[in-house]
Amino acid sequence: MKPAPFQYVAAKSVDDAIALLSKYGADAKLIAGGQSLVPMMNFRLARPEWLIDINRIDGLAGITQQNGMLRIGSLTRYSELEASEAVQRGVPLLRQMLPHIAHEAIRNRGTIGGSICHADPAAEMPVAMLALDATFELRGPSGARRVAADDFFLGQMTTGIEADEVLVAIKIPETKNDERHGFSEFARRRGDFALASAAVVLRFNGGMISDHVRIAVGGLSERAERARKAEALLAGKTLTPTLIEEAAHTASGEVQAGQDLHATEAYRRSLIATQVKQALAVAADRTSSTGAKK
Amino acid sequence: MSELKQHDVAFTVNGKAETLSVSPRTSLADALRDTLGLTGTHIGCEHGVCGACTVLLDGKPVRSCLLFAVQAEGAAITTIEGIGDAQSPHPLQRAFNECHGLHCGFCTPGMIVTLSAFLKEHPQPTSADVREAISGNLCMCTGYQNIVRSALRAAELIEGAKP
C-alpha cells in the first residue's frame, strides 16, 4: 500500500509543466489534488517515474466572471467551488452537485481539473460538465486549444488531452434566467462513487421547454454521456409528470450501461431511470432550481 | 531510473518548525509518524477512504495518506497531538471521554481532528450535521452513536466556556 518509488518535481509555471511533460513523456504524471492519483499509486495501478506537482503554480486556481461565462482555473479545489458565491449564483447546478463528491477532507484537496482529466466513469464532475456545456482550455508545446466537454470524455479514464498538454481552465456559461436544472445520484454510502448519476439542464421558452435540453448521466459504463433521445423527446414540450416518466424511460434505454461486482446492467438501468426522473423533478421545482436549497 | 533524490521540506507541525529530508514517496502520514514520532495520526486504509489519518493542513482537514510530505512545504500542520493532551484536553477529547465516544480508539484521532475543524464552522450543530461531518471517517467498532453524542457534548462544552 505504498507507492512505487518515483522522482518528484514541482512545476513553477504552466510552461514549466509542459516542458517537463515533453521531457519525461509517458513516464510522467501531473499531480493536482492527488485524491484519485495517489490511491492508484498506492495500489500500484499507476507507477509514474516522475511526478510533476502543479500545486505551486500561481494563477492556476481561481474563479473569474467574464462575458456571461465563469472561468474556473483547473487547480481550483472543490471546497473553493463550494464556498464561491460566483458559482452559487452563476452555475447553481455545479453548486448543487458538489456535496455529492466524496467527503470534506477529500474536497479540501481535490480539484475540478484533476477530476476532469482523471475521467473516472463514476465521478460526478464529467456529468456536470456535459450538462453545463463546459469548454476546456488546454495548453501544450504548440499553444492553446479549446475542447468542448462533449468531445473530451472518450472512455474509461481516457480523454482528448495529449500527453504533453495541461488543462488550464474550465469555462462554463452562466445559467440563464429561463433555465432550470437538477442533479441526482445513487451511491451505496454517503460519499461513495455513484452507481448512477444524472444532471439535467432545461431552457424554457415561455411555458415550453426550448430545444436547449441537456441530460447527462454517469456511473453506468466506461464514461459519462448524454441521453440525446431523451433530450429530443423533451424539446418543445410542456414539462409534466408524464413527460418526465417518458424521458426517464427513454434515457434508461438508450445509454450505455455495464455490469460489474457493484451492480448488474438491469439494476443500473433501473437506477438511472430514477435518477433522471428525480433530476427532472428538481428542475421542475423552481425553488431548488434557483439554487436556494442545497 | 536514475538514483532517487531526497528532498528537503520545511513546515510547521503543531506550531513547531520542522525540516525533514524525505523520499518523494513518503506520505505526510508516514513522515509524521516515523520521522517525527507523532504516532497519534493513525494509518488505516492508505487510499483515502477511512479517515484515520486526517490532519489539518492550514486549518482544513485533509487525508495525510494522500499527500506526500514533500508537497507540504511551507504548510502549517496540526495533528491530534496539537489539538490537546492529557493535561489540557480539547473539549472534544473531554467529551469523547465523558460520553464513551471510543471503543478501540483507532479512528478517534481522525474523528477528533475532523470534528475540531467542523465545530469551528458549526458551533451549534444538529445530530444530522455531525453525521454528515464524520461521513468520511469510518469506525470499525461501529460506535457512531456515542461519537455523535460526544460531538454534540463538545459543542456544549465549547459554548459553556465562552465568557
Side-chain angles (χ1 to χ4, degrees):
Chain A
M1 297 298 291
K2 307 285 182 195
F6 59 86
Q7 310 256 23
Y8 171 90
V9 55
K12 291 172 189 71
S13 63
V14 173
D15 287 339
D16 190 24
I18 294 166
L20 288 162
L21 281 174
S22 304
K23 185 172 169 194
Y24 298 119
D27 293 335
K29 278 295 278 184
L30 294 185
I31 182 166
Q35 303 298 288
S36 299
L37 177 59
V38 179
M40 287 183 74
M41 290 171 66
N42 286 358
F43 281 125
R44 305 213 174 182
L45 295 170
R47 301 178 71 134
E49 288 198 13
W50 281 88
L51 211 53
I52 303 168
D53 192 347
I54 59 171
N55 283 281
R56 306 261 156 199
I57 299 178
D58 280 338
L60 203 50
I63 303 159
T64 48
Q65 281 169 293
Q66 39 181 244
N67 309 325
M69 307 280 274
L70 225 54
R71 184 183 188 277
I72 303 174
S74 59
L75 195 65
T76 308
R77 300 183 201 278
Y78 298 132
S79 56
E80 295 172 78
L81 294 171
E82 270 183 287
S84 160
E85 267 189 46
V87 170
Q88 169 80 31
R89 222 180 19 248
V91 196
L93 173 62
L94 187 59
R95 178 63 186 80
Q96 197 180 325
M97 177 274 281
L98 285 163
H100 292 272
I101 301 175
H103 308 282
E104 194 198 348
I106 304 288
R107 295 197 295 271
N108 280 335
R109 288 296 297 170
T111 66
I112 181 171
S115 180
I116 289 166
C117 292
H118 186 59
D120 189 298
E124 289 84 358
M125 197 56 83
V127 179
M129 294 299 104
L130 288 175
L132 290 166
D133 284 355
T135 310
F136 305 140
E137 282 182 30
L138 308 175
R139 260 171 63 190
S142 50
R145 67 184 178 113
R146 287 186 183 166
V147 181
D150 268 331
D151 302 320
F152 190 76
F153 301 106
L154 304 178
Q156 181 154 338
M157 297 177 185
T158 309
T159 70
I161 197 166
E162 297 296 332
D164 54 4
E165 284 182 317
V166 177
L167 171 61
V168 177
I170 295 91
K171 276 194 167 176
I172 305 174
E174 286 191 272
T175 301
K176 314 284 183 298
N177 286 335
D178 54 0
E179 260 176 42
R180 300 189 205 171
H181 58 264
F183 180 84
S184 182
E185 80 166 38
F186 179 82
R188 284 201 193 279
R189 286 168 298 261
R190 189 81 178 96
D192 274 15
F193 277 115
L195 291 182
S197 67
V200 303
V201 173
L202 308 174
R203 196 170 293 165
F204 281 79
N205 194 350
M208 312 273 264
I209 304 166
S210 76
D211 60 1
H212 184 97
V213 182
R214 300 286 181 270
I215 300 176
V217 300
L220 305 170
S221 67
E222 294 198 333
R223 64 184 180 91
E225 64 170 318
R226 279 172 57 188
R228 289 174 194 268
K229 283 181 188 162
E231 290 177 358
L233 182 81
L234 291 177
K237 302 213 176 76
T238 309
L239 191 61
T240 62
T242 317
L243 187 65
I244 288 178
E245 288 284 350
E246 257 180 80
H249 181 75
T250 303
S252 163
E254 72 174 294
V255 297
Q256 298 289 313
Q259 185 148 330
D260 58 20
L261 78 166
H262 301 294
T264 61
E265 184 192 331
Y267 182 46
R268 280 204 162 85
R269 289 198 187 280
S270 166
L271 282 175
I272 196 58
T274 310
Q275 302 319 308
V276 169
K277 195 173 134 183
Q278 287 178 355
L280 286 169
V282 173
D285 170 5
R286 217 174 234 295
T287 324
S288 46
S289 179
T290 56
K293 283 192 270 186
K294 185 168 148 184
Chain B
M1 187 186 285
S2 53
E3 199 174 319
L4 288 177
K5 193 182 150 207
Q6 292 280 117
H7 292 256
D8 288 336
V9 58
F11 44 67
T12 69
V13 181
N14 303 328
K16 187 171 166 233
E18 304 279 3
T19 304
L20 280 62
S21 176
V22 294
S23 162
R25 69 169 174 157
T26 303
S27 71
L28 178 61
D30 281 332
L32 290 169
R33 287 176 57 84
D34 299 344
T35 313
L36 298 175
L38 296 169
T39 52
T41 300
H42 290 172
I43 298 178
C45 70
E46 290 192 309
H47 63 286
V49 172
C50 78
C53 69
T54 307
V55 300
L56 303 182
L57 182 80
D58 297 325
K60 289 182 170 180
V62 300
R63 306 285 202 235
S64 63
C65 75
L66 297 187
L67 190 68
F68 295 113
V70 63
Q71 295 186 280
E73 174 68 36
I77 295 152
T78 307
T79 67
I80 185 66
E81 289 88 348
I83 300 278
D85 58 24
Q87 282 70 48
S88 54
H90 185 278
L92 273 162
Q93 291 165 317
R94 281 176 54 197
F96 267 66
N97 184 348
E98 205 177 293
C99 305
H100 302 281
L102 61 151
H103 290 187
C104 83
F106 194 87
C107 71
T108 313
M111 290 281 182
I112 289 180
V113 169
T114 300
L115 285 167
S116 71
F118 168 74
L119 288 181
K120 273 191 184 154
E121 302 272 315
H122 307 85
Q124 293 176 309
T126 64
S127 160
D129 295 338
V130 172
R131 281 164 203 276
E132 169 73 31
I134 58 166
S135 63
N137 293 71
L138 302 183
C139 167
M140 298 307 279
C141 309
T142 69
Y144 295 106
Q145 302 293 345
N146 285 353
I147 293 172
V148 174
R149 277 187 204 116
S150 304
L152 295 173
R153 176 70 183 132
E156 281 176 11
L157 290 172
I158 293 168
E159 183 63 29
K162 279 183 188 163

